[in-house]
Amino acid sequence: MMIRIRSRDGLERVSIDDQQATVGQLRSAIESQLRVPTHSQTLSTNQNLLLAKTLDDLTRFTDMLDPNTWISALNIRHGSIVYLAYEGERKVAGPVFNPAGSFGRKMTVDDMIAKQMRVTRQENPHCELVSFDRDAANAFQNYVNETLVFAVKRAGLMYGTVSPEGKVEVDFIYEPPQQGTEENLMLFRDPEEEKLVEAIALGLGMKRVGFIFTQTVSQDKKDYTMSNAEILQAVELHTESDLKEWVTAVVKLEVNEDGGADVHFEAFQMSDMCVRLFKEGWFEKEIQGEIDPKLSRMTKDVVVAGKDTREVDNDFFLVVVKIFDHQGPLSSTFPIENRNVPISMQALKSHLDRTKSLPFVKRISDFHLLLLIARFLDVNADVPVLAACVQAQATIPEGFQLLIESIASA
């Protein structure tokens, strides 16, 4: 049985022979296979373990404290993810070296397939351009600039519309639960919350159209457009969407002519070859050892510029997309989900009080406000109906208005 272990070092795997293993046996397997002593381990099925910053925080995760608990009783099965926090340092094993090229050895079927995998630059994207709603883009970049000061990475999923000509318009950005560091970004996807987001988007006549993330100040000194870890994360989300116009946006600080710093947006599509290589499992997904971040490592040889190689410059996978802006149908003044401060009902009351001179539909025409309200509604029936009223700027039914006002006054 294979168990995936997520820690600050990334995703690793341990094997357990006994299908009826206990937590204690899992701890021993982690010690022998990953070299983390059992006395240093804190295990949990709760991903928030990785957000713990103090010893007191760690003591709150008790679901895997008893070594005699069967892991099956915790719904841990083959392929499950268990979260690991530990004290101290350890060395993570590097990759096994495999010589590239086929000279001097017999050609296998894999070799022949690799010869057909020619990685070249794709000149034209599938989308004509991407246009950002000014308020949504501002709300995102202001937070990473003024609050996070580009010290840690931040990301969001972009929603909007795609025209028949391939023009992508981004009208709101949903920020999922996440943890960013100077170099890495971990998304803690919440399926239940994303169901609410999708229901709101459906009612608004929109869909998920892209991924946006920030690079930190320290990354600005690195010689790459996107790192190998960023390429992997971006192409995984691109592949998940199956939308050919899918856009990946990068936000970063750049030094201007006066020596000051300006927030800069760039937009790309992952190339068709990049998406194909990812779907067919050619990317080395667990980046270990010393590898230049501007290179992506393949599991088998590909052909780049007429040479067999397993390391591809990330720029080969990026197709530049033109950027425009527009004023969309939604505002972005309501507090945004999954940031440092939880959103209270007082925030809803303050928002409604501040906008009481406007028609009620205008007062709630904000995705982030709708997401808060959606938690109190039926995701399949009520949420799309309410969002459809916002899209049409129609009168909000009295029942919805009374409910929203009562939630704000709670």
Side-chain angles (χ1 to χ4, degrees):
M1 182 166 65
M2 183 273 291
I3 305 295
R4 293 182 288 174
I5 307 297
R6 172 76 77 178
S7 71
R8 69 193 187 205
D9 301 316
L11 189 66
E12 299 171 277
R13 295 175 173 84
V14 297
S15 298
I16 298 177
D17 294 331
D18 188 2
Q19 295 277 351
Q20 296 298 320
T22 63
V23 170
Q25 289 172 302
L26 176 58
R27 289 180 181 277
S28 297
I30 291 172
E31 181 176 49
S32 62
Q33 296 174 42
L34 303 185
R35 300 187 297 282
V36 179
T38 55
H39 64 80
S40 299
Q41 300 173 19
T42 301
L43 298 179
S44 178
T45 57
N46 187 340
Q47 62 190 14
N48 290 327
L49 173 67
L50 299 184
L51 300 176
K53 293 182 172 58
T54 66
L55 289 176
D56 285 341
D57 290 339
L58 292 174
T59 59
R60 298 178 186 143
F61 299 89
T62 58
D63 57 323
M64 298 185 71
L65 193 60
D66 185 356
N68 298 315
T69 301
W70 302 108
I71 61 173
S72 58
L74 300 171
N75 291 320
I76 298 174
R77 299 178 177 83
H78 177 76
S80 294
I81 294 182
V82 172
Y83 298 90
L84 163 68
Y86 67 93
E87 300 174 13
E89 303 291 335
R90 69 182 176 109
K91 290 184 178 180
V92 180
V96 176
F97 175 74
N98 291 302
S102 58
F103 182 78
R105 57 186 171 91
K106 292 182 180 179
M107 290 283 284
T108 65
V109 173
D110 282 348
D111 293 331
M112 296 174 68
I113 293 173
K115 291 295 182 186
Q116 300 172 29
M117 286 296 186
R118 297 184 178 274
V119 180
T120 57
R121 296 184 189 274
Q122 180 178 324
E123 297 300 327
N124 300 312
H126 292 291
C127 64
E128 179 188 350
L129 59 89
V130 59
S131 182
F132 289 91
D133 173 84
R134 298 184 194 98
D135 293 339
N138 240 1
F140 184 77
Q141 68 94 4
N142 276 344
Y143 179 65
V144 297
N145 187 22
E146 297 176 9
T147 302
L148 303 181
V149 291
F150 281 93
V152 297
K153 295 167 74 70
R154 185 75 184 171
L157 298 172
M158 304 189 296
Y159 284 78
T161 57
V162 181
S163 74
E165 301 77 32
K167 177 182 176 182
V168 175
E169 287 196 350
V170 176
D171 287 315
F172 71 82
I173 299 171
Y174 159 65
E175 298 180 22
Q178 58 193 273
Q179 181 185 17
T181 66
E182 194 173 27
E183 296 286 342
N184 298 303
L185 175 68
M186 194 179 297
L187 300 181
F188 300 122
R189 305 279 294 276
D190 182 341
E192 295 305 312
E193 186 169 83
E194 288 191 23
K195 284 180 185 176
L196 298 177
V197 177
E198 294 295 328
I200 294 169
L202 176 66
L204 292 171
M206 301 177 190
K207 60 184 174 182
R208 193 181 300 177
V209 295
F211 174 56
I212 185 170
F213 70 92
T214 63
Q215 290 182 336
T216 56
V217 176
S218 64
Q219 287 182 277
D220 187 47
K221 302 171 185 175
K222 306 290 179 64
D223 182 27
Y224 57 73
T225 307
M226 286 174 60
S227 71
N228 43 28
E230 290 167 348
I231 289 285
L232 272 175
Q233 192 165 45
V235 71
E236 182 175 9
L237 288 164
H238 185 141
T239 306
E240 177 188 308
S241 76
D242 214 23
L243 177 71
K244 68 181 176 64
E245 295 90 358
W246 180 271
V247 175
T248 297
V250 185
V251 184
K252 56 187 177 182
L253 279 182
E254 287 195 347
V255 178
N256 58 33
E257 296 177 354
D258 301 324
D262 293 330
V263 178
H264 186 66
F265 281 68
E266 293 180 349
F268 305 94
Q269 280 200 291
M270 299 296 111
S271 70
D272 295 343
M273 177 55 75
C274 179
V275 172
R276 178 184 173 187
L277 290 170
F278 184 83
K279 283 183 175 179
E280 296 181 11
W282 287 64
F283 276 90
E284 186 69 61
K285 295 183 180 179
E286 295 183 20
I287 302 168
Q288 298 178 347
E290 293 296 325
I291 179 172
D292 190 330
K294 72 179 179 183
L295 302 175
S296 288
R297 180 172 285 162
M298 303 290 112
T299 57
K300 293 177 282 191
D301 290 347
V302 295
V303 179
V304 180
K307 296 180 181 179
D308 292 352
T309 183
R310 295 199 179 189
E311 294 181 348
V312 182
D313 190 312
N314 298 329
D315 283 350
F316 277 96
F317 296 136
L318 300 177
V319 189
V320 176
V321 176
K322 294 180 290 186
I323 293 181
F324 289 77
D325 65 355
H326 67 277
Q327 193 64 55
L330 304 173
S331 67
S332 292
T333 58
F334 193 74
I336 293 175
E337 63 283 345
N338 300 315
R339 290 188 173 178
N340 289 334
V341 180
I343 302 171
S344 66
M345 294 304 108
Q346 181 59 43
L348 178 59
K349 186 175 187 306
S350 298
H351 177 89
L352 294 177
D353 289 345
R354 187 174 63 251
T355 57
K356 59 186 175 184
S357 62
L358 299 174
F360 195 80
V361 66
K362 280 286 186 188
R363 297 164 73 188
I364 66 168
S365 294
D366 186 307
F367 160 74
H368 308 288
L369 181 149
L370 290 173
L371 181 57
L372 177 67
I373 295 170
R375 302 180 193 281
F376 301 91
L377 303 175
D378 184 287
V379 66
N380 296 313
D382 297 336
V383 175
V385 170
L386 181 62
C389 291
V390 171
Q391 183 203 23
Q393 289 295 286
T395 301
I396 302 297
E398 185 178 2
F400 280 131
Q401 185 169 336
L402 289 173
L403 176 62
I404 294 167
E405 289 174 339
S406 67
I407 292 171
S409 301

